[in-house]
Amino acid sequence: RSKTSPPLVWWPMYQWSFQPAKKVATKSATKVETPKVDGASMLFENETIDYGTVPANSDGKREFVFVNNGTKPLIIESTQGSCGCTVPTKPEKPIQPGEKGVIKVHYATDRVGAFTKTVTVKSNAVGQETKVVTIKGTVLPDAPAAPATEVKS
């Protein structure tokens, strides 16, 4: 059989016959449009970052990515972590309409155990001047050190 021959179809009474292949409707990829807001606005890709389970003293840096889906520049006035173990860094320049921005967060992974912390973002976003995003995860304790063995010579 060639690649262009129609598929075999099994019929009752143990008979084979050739049937022309049916065309399958395909969907074309559609671009997702973000809703436009009159004024400055921010739309986060994710409002919660899950670190999962990480080893103690591992890299605690993560990023919240957002887009200004408004018609005016977005100014992040301040970012504040819910405790001293969560340190956010805000963009210094205004985020122009349609552009992406990043709020960097560093969590102190020397603190063992489960955690859920927030970052409060204050901006000129219309109707959402204060936005709270969340980080969560679990920090594992350090593996116990192997006991020192004495070397005899």
Side-chain angles (χ1 to χ4, degrees):
R1 294 192 46 209
S2 73
K3 289 183 179 181
T4 58
S5 45
L8 282 175
V9 177
W10 179 254
W11 289 100
M13 306 302 291
Y14 308 103
Q15 296 176 2
W16 290 98
S17 68
F18 285 98
Q19 295 258 328
K22 293 181 180 177
K23 288 189 176 182
V24 177
T26 58
K27 277 189 171 179
S28 60
T30 57
K31 185 178 177 185
V32 176
E33 295 281 331
T34 57
K36 286 287 182 190
V37 174
D38 188 23
S41 182
M42 65 180 148
L43 182 64
F44 283 88
E45 287 182 1
N46 290 304
E47 294 183 12
T48 299
I49 293 178
D50 189 346
Y51 281 58
T53 302
V54 296
N57 300 308
S58 61
D59 182 15
K61 296 176 184 171
R62 300 292 187 275
E63 295 181 342
F64 284 100
V65 178
F66 61 92
V67 65
N68 176 359
N69 61 321
T71 58
K72 295 184 180 172
L74 173 68
I75 299 167
I76 305 297
E77 296 160 6
S78 68
T79 53
Q80 179 69 48
S82 56
C83 75
C85 60
T86 306
V87 181
T89 305
K90 70 180 185 73
E92 293 302 318
K93 295 181 180 176
I95 310 302
Q96 298 302 316
E99 289 185 354
K100 286 188 176 185
V102 174
I103 295 172
K104 297 179 181 185
V105 179
H106 182 266
Y107 178 73
T109 58
D110 58 343
R111 298 170 184 242
V112 174
F115 66 91
T116 299
K117 304 295 179 185
T118 60
V119 173
T120 302
V121 180
K122 293 190 178 184
S123 72
N124 67 331
V126 175
Q128 141 179 331
E129 291 80 7
T130 301
K131 178 71 177 172
V132 178
V133 292
T134 305
I135 62 170
K136 66 180 183 175
T138 303
V139 178
L140 295 174
D142 281 330
T149 56
E150 191 175 309
V151 178
K152 292 185 180 180
S153 49

